[in-house]
Amino acid sequence: MGRSEELFEEARRFIPGGVNSPVRAFKAVGGIPRFIARAQGARVWDVDGREYIDYVASWGPMILGHAYPRVVQAVRERTERGTSYGAPTALEVELARTIVEALPSVEMVRMVNSGTEAVMSAIRLARAFTGRDKVLKFEGCYHGHADGLLVKAGSGATTLGVPLSSGVPASYAELTLLAPFNDLEAVQRVMAEHRGEVACVIVEPVAGNMGVVLPEDGFLQGLREICDQEDVLLIFDEVITGFRVGWSGAQGLYGVMPDLTCLGKIIGGGLPVGAFGGRREIMELLAPSGPVYQAGTLSGNPLACAAGLETLRILREEAPYEELEERTSYLCSEIHKVAEEVGVEVTVNQIGSMFTGFFAEGPIRDYASAMGSDLELHRRFFWAMLRRGVYLPPSQFEAAFLSTAHGPEEMERTLSAVKEGLREISGGLR
Ligand code: HOZ
């Protein structure tokens, strides 16, 4: 028995399911999750000393790769000055200013500790601003685990087959309205049925939690127009896409401005963080300026802010987005080519440095089409890759990420694993 097996056995005695976030448990792919001992650049090593090229990237934050020296140094320096004060710091101001400068729709920002918290608070704010209660979300989008948003939720909830979580009061779930992603007619229909009741539409502008699903031409623009007509706030959940698909997030890329934006992941440089921001008149409703209460002992924590700020500085200085996109496109087109050669149906959805290979004919444009994927093929491919030292997300319904540390050597090794892995699952190498 390896060390990961031993640890998992022990973990299950003390931690529900042996993990602190369900998608890590490998339930969708079977087998034992790898316990990670360390990480550097594009690589992670498990507790048994096996090395993997990492495409999980801590589910998105590690855009510079692991243990990037300047980020490590920033955290180290900050640690020596104390790890939490429960009082404001200059660091928070600089991080807030950087976010405001980067994201065209954001005039003010509040730091929290996770994406879940960011979304929960943004929705409270939208409800207060509009005086309405209902929220429209899209099937397969995941906005964290707050009550009321776990309705047809993607990510771990879909992976484990609990898109409507037990424990969510029906009266909460009733406030959540649903439409299929990329379906403006459905949005219009729902809006007409609930006219005057909807506070906000919340969307991942590029869905990353049913696997990567891109907005079709006009979809985000159409949402903006419908929200304007109905006096409803538009919230972009850019927890994944923020500083990932470009310096100005998906809003900059698609040129559509939401009223509120939720962030997380990259802005914490790998430490626990979240933030939400938007138009000044809305944000100023927050306590202590206004009546919407929201708070947190560790909000704006100096270590998280130091790691996040240093990450953003590097991204601004080095502007790696074009190169990241080129490398990812190359990888995706090669995966597609090999899949065709060996006769395995794979649809690769990609934007910037995030992608998903769906084992399905495609196009994958919404939750229903994503759910049509062949999960058994995905499971076999995942293990074929892991055995060859490539660590992909252990779920069909997640995004894989490249970092600036994924260079030619990593590409070559990954592609050779893809070739062998796809051939293996197609029956060629068994
Ligand atoms: N939103 C992330 C997955 N898409 C979170 C990872 C997790 O649930 O652990």
Side-chain angles (χ1 to χ4, degrees):
M1 188 168 18
R3 189 71 187 122
S4 280
E5 274 97 332
E6 285 168 9
L7 279 171
F8 195 44
E9 208 173 283
E10 194 182 356
R12 277 182 293 187
R13 290 175 53 212
F14 302 113
I15 304 172
V19 290
N20 282 314
S21 193
V23 73
R24 296 176 198 172
F26 275 29
K27 273 209 159 177
V29 291
I32 304 293
R34 295 299 184 252
F35 280 63
I36 302 301
R38 69 187 176 94
Q40 180 70 56
R43 318 281 169 113
V44 294
W45 286 264
D46 70 16
V47 285
D48 290 299
R50 292 191 207 96
E51 177 185 311
Y52 306 96
I53 302 174
D54 177 28
Y55 289 91
V56 174
S58 186
W59 305 95
M62 311 317 302
I63 191 167
L64 301 174
H66 296 281
Y68 193 90
R70 271 178 61 183
V71 177
V72 171
Q73 184 57 21
V75 174
R76 189 175 288 139
E77 272 171 20
R78 209 58 225 190
T79 306
E80 282 163 8
R81 293 153 72 174
T83 54
S84 181
Y85 321 123
T89 64
L91 205 55
E92 293 164 277
V93 184
E94 196 178 339
L95 182 55
R97 190 191 314 116
T98 307
I99 292 171
V100 167
E101 282 167 6
L103 298 182
S105 73
V106 174
E107 293 177 330
M108 299 187 98
V109 65
R110 163 110 0 136
M111 300 300 298
V112 291
N113 297 293
S114 68
T116 292
E117 245 187 275
V119 170
M120 207 177 79
S121 310
I123 284 179
R124 182 177 304 149
L125 201 49
R127 285 176 167 149
F129 185 78
T130 57
R132 303 170 183 171
D133 289 341
K134 291 192 175 155
V135 172
L136 191 152
K137 81 175 276 288
F138 293 89
E139 294 168 4
C141 282
Y142 176 71
H143 305 289
H145 63 276
D147 284 345
L149 288 170
L150 285 176
V151 182
K152 279 225 175 177
S155 190
T158 285
T159 303
L160 300 179
V162 283
L164 175 57
S165 171
S166 159
V168 171
S171 56
Y172 286 23
E174 275 160 20
L175 295 176
T176 306
L177 310 171
L178 285 167
F181 194 74
N182 275 325
D183 188 342
L184 285 174
E185 273 177 28
V187 174
Q188 262 155 343
R189 225 175 14 250
V190 174
M191 285 294 188
E193 278 163 22
H194 298 270
R195 185 146 289 135
E197 298 170 356
V198 181
C200 59
V201 171
I202 182 162
V203 67
E204 293 179 82
V206 173
N209 285 292
M210 47 179 143
V212 174
V213 178
L214 306 187
E216 289 171 354
D217 278 355
F219 176 61
L220 297 175
Q221 189 60 47
L223 288 184
R224 180 67 274 174
E225 284 161 16
I226 294 170
C227 285
D228 288 343
Q229 281 157 19
E230 303 283 341
D231 273 332
V232 164
L233 296 189
L234 178 61
I235 304 180
F236 275 6
D237 180 340
E238 295 227 45
V239 168
I240 291 181
T241 54
F243 298 96
R244 166 61 68 179
V245 298
W247 175 251
S248 301
Q251 55 194 264
L253 200 64
Y254 291 99
V256 177
M257 296 306 120
D259 300 293
L260 291 170
T261 299
C262 300
L263 295 165
K265 305 207 190 257
I266 288 177
I267 62 160
L271 273 79
V273 97
F276 61 104
R279 279 170 30 214
R280 184 175 303 278
E281 61 170 329
I282 306 172
M283 291 302 289
E284 280 187 337
L285 286 181
L286 274 182
S289 324
V292 178
Y293 199 71
Q294 186 283 325
T297 299
L298 288 164
S299 295
N301 172 262
L303 300 193
C305 286
L309 187 57
E310 198 61 18
T311 300
L312 298 192
R313 283 188 188 130
I314 296 161
L315 290 173
R316 183 157 53 186
E317 283 161 28
E318 298 187 0
Y321 292 107
E322 235 178 82
E323 201 178 330
L324 270 172
E325 164 136 47
E326 266 168 32
R327 274 190 212 155
T328 315
S329 301
Y330 170 70
L331 187 63
C332 290
S333 66
E334 289 297 303
I335 294 172
H336 185 71
K337 216 186 291 172
V338 179
E340 269 192 350
E341 274 165 29
V342 300
V344 177
E345 201 86 67
V346 178
T347 300
V348 188
N349 283 359
Q350 177 231 336
I351 184 163
S353 53
M354 55 192 274
F355 71 95
T356 299
F358 292 93
F359 287 90
E361 192 184 331
I364 304 296
R365 57 182 300 271
D366 55 18
Y367 191 54
S369 44
M371 292 296 281
S373 303
D374 185 330
L375 300 184
E376 174 56 17
L377 266 189
H378 171 268
R379 184 191 68 74
R380 285 166 53 202
F381 182 65
F382 169 83
W383 280 105
M385 294 297 281
L386 199 73
R387 279 197 303 274
R388 290 170 174 83
V390 178
Y391 184 35
L392 294 170
S395 162
Q396 175 71 98
F397 307 111
E398 297 285 357
F401 299 98
L402 264 75
S403 75
T404 53
H406 287 74
E409 195 195 324
E410 284 79 12
M411 295 284 104
E412 205 178 300
R413 270 184 52 186
T414 303
L415 282 173
S416 114
V418 168
K419 277 178 199 153
E420 291 181 13
L422 281 175
R423 244 184 265 141
E424 181 183 313
I425 67 164
S426 75
L429 276 187
R430 229 177 296 210

